[in-house]
Amino acid sequence: QVQLVESGGGLVQAGGSLRLSCAASGRIFSINAMGWYRQAPGKQRELVAAITSGGIINYADSVKGRFTISRDNAKNTVYLQMNSLKPEDTAVYYCNAERFADGILYDYWGQGTQVTVSS
């Protein structure tokens, strides 16, 4: 099992910045990738950014150039630095971890943290 604990959400004005953190614990040695997803009211959950254990990074087109994902392996923590925030970034942000073990891919989710961007 992998446990994920998120922090850093909140209310910010458009153009502002927030940094989300996600600390992983448990069977972290076999995590292949970690990332951030978001879900706005009435919309499907979507990928925001992800980083693999090898350092490969992927961003949604809507956040490229504004958001930066990074990880601190010593702290088992992944971060999402969000700059130039827009009202359309308002959503619940979820941390995700993928673990591959014994031929099975496991998905783990954090509890979610609310990000609200006011115009």
Side-chain angles (χ1 to χ4, degrees):
Q1 288 285 357
V2 173
Q3 293 79 41
L4 303 173
V5 178
E6 302 139 336
S7 60
L11 173 64
V12 65
Q13 288 188 333
S17 299
L18 284 173
R19 188 175 84 151
L20 305 182
S21 300
C22 174
S25 60
R27 293 180 179 268
I28 59 174
F29 55 88
S30 54
I31 290 177
N32 298 322
M34 294 185 69
W36 292 94
Y37 287 71
R38 67 186 181 187
Q39 188 166 19
K43 294 188 177 181
Q44 289 189 331
R45 190 173 296 189
E46 62 176 0
L47 174 70
V48 177
I51 182 168
T52 70
S53 57
I56 298 173
I57 292 174
N58 184 37
Y59 292 104
D61 288 342
S62 59
V63 306
K64 283 180 181 177
R66 300 188 298 123
F67 290 12
T68 302
I69 189 170
S70 61
R71 64 192 296 171
D72 184 333
N73 291 328
K75 295 182 178 180
N76 302 317
T77 300
V78 64
Y79 304 96
L80 185 68
Q81 178 65 44
M82 305 185 292
N83 298 328
S84 302
L85 282 160
K86 304 176 181 180
E88 50 264 43
D89 294 317
T90 296
V92 178
Y93 284 69
Y94 296 91
C95 180
N96 169 265
E98 288 185 353
R99 184 174 74 91
F100 190 75
D102 299 325
I104 301 173
L105 186 64
Y106 298 89
D107 248 339
Y108 301 93
W109 296 93
Q111 79 281 4
T113 185
Q114 177 70 46
V115 171
T116 303
V117 184
S118 63
S119 56

